[in-house]
Amino acid sequence: MALPDNTPSIPLGEEVIFPEIVELNVGGQVYITRYSTLISVPDSLLWEMFNRKSTKGLARDTKGRFFVDRDGFLFRYILDYMRDQQLVLPDHFPERGRLQREAEFFILPELVKILAPKFSKQNSLGDEGCQSDPEDSSPGIDTGRNLASLGTAACASLVPSGDGKRSGFITIGYRGSYTLGRDSQTDAKFRRVARIMVCGKTSLAKEVFGETLNESRDPDRPPERYTSRYYLKFTFLEQAFDRLADAGFHMVACNSTGTCAFAHEQTDDKIWTSYTEYVFYRE
């Protein structure tokens, strides 16, 4: 079933110098759209460009396409908005600020309002509705709008039971080494931990380890995504275990593998290198 065409029609008897299908070159990206789409938002920049009586003064590329010197990749969202006056962005869209600047350039005030940052005047739930939790999986934009209209009562039903902490797994892994001499006595510094790795959901890792979590190897990781590239700024396993216990996690499994090599050919001292993982879970 075909969707109804909401684009404005061209009045009968009015002379149009532009073709029904228009080719655009925006920053090197080629777009093909209907003329009625380009003039769908009155007083916008594209409306002014393509609502004139002459094409004189409009820049063109070598193939005769109308040229606009703007970000060609972001223009796809500008064009989508002009088709039906709605904006749908990918989850965790990183260039919202730049897209707002493009909307200002193309004189689309309603789109600028949609893209403008929203600041809540109060932290608690109230008349503003339910603020979405950035640490949770992001629902679609339509779903987010529906949640915002539900009110405080509906928001309360979305909060996890108990103390509000989310369940999940966190895996702690580390490589350690120790020396075993001929008398089977381990060295006093038997456990040398170079780095403690953290694997699991980003939101849980940040909740438990906070500022002690080194995120430089996996920056800008979305909260609901999983990572195995975080590590801790300290090297004491007991400190990691204490933080997990304080957050309500308990150990459910562990495993370890090791390799052996002789420290010196003339002695019986052996260097053992092991990799160990501990799996923690919170209900």
Side-chain angles (χ1 to χ4, degrees), residues 4 256 258:
S256 180

Side-chain angles (χ1 to χ4, degrees), residues 47-203:
W47 181 88
E48 293 178 356
M49 290 176 57
F50 294 95
N51 200 35
R52 57 178 65 190
K53 297 181 180 181
S54 173
T55 60
K56 185 178 181 181
L58 294 179
R60 294 176 180 262
D61 63 9
T62 56
K63 295 186 177 181
R65 294 175 293 227
F66 296 103
F67 179 75
V68 182
D69 190 16
R70 298 301 294 183
D71 191 314
F73 294 100
L74 292 178
F75 183 74
R76 59 178 296 189
Y77 303 108
I78 299 293
L79 192 58
D80 282 345
Y81 172 80
M82 298 193 67
R83 290 185 175 118
D84 52 17
Q85 276 68 61
Q86 293 184 2
L87 177 66
V88 179
L89 297 177
D91 292 340
H92 308 291
F93 183 68
E95 298 186 295
R96 197 179 186 93
R98 293 186 59 189
L99 182 57
Q100 182 181 358
R101 185 175 63 183
E102 295 300 302
E104 293 171 350
F105 175 82
F106 285 102
I107 315 179
L108 299 170
E110 293 302 320
L111 180 57
V112 173
K113 292 180 182 178
I114 295 175
L115 292 168
K118 294 179 177 58
F119 299 98
S120 176
K121 296 181 180 180
Q122 53 186 2
N123 295 328
S124 60
L125 295 175
D127 296 336
E128 294 290 335
C130 177
Q131 299 295 328
S132 61
D133 188 349
E135 299 292 334
D136 286 335
S137 300
S138 298
I141 289 183
D142 293 337
T143 305
R145 291 172 180 170
N146 292 336
L147 292 178
S149 64
L150 291 178
T152 305
C155 292
S157 65
L158 298 178
V159 178
S161 59
D163 56 6
K165 294 181 179 179
R166 287 175 289 273
S167 62
F169 291 88
I170 288 181
T171 301
I172 299 296
Y174 77 94
R175 296 188 183 278
S177 63
Y178 60 90
T179 302
L180 187 64
R182 67 178 64 185
D183 54 356
S184 299
Q185 296 296 323
T186 56
D187 187 85
K189 298 180 180 180
F190 71 96
R191 189 177 62 192
R192 298 181 180 90
V193 179
R195 182 170 294 175
I196 301 176
M197 307 299 297
V198 177
C199 307
K201 185 176 288 188
T202 301
S203 59

Side-chain angles (χ1 to χ4, degrees), residues 215-235:
E215 306 175 53
S216 62
R217 298 179 61 197
D218 204 356
D220 303 325
R221 191 72 172 174
E224 81 286 355
R225 299 292 179 86
Y226 291 84
T227 180
S228 61
R229 295 178 59 82
Y230 286 170
Y231 63 90
L232 300 180
K233 297 179 181 179
F234 55 83
T235 59

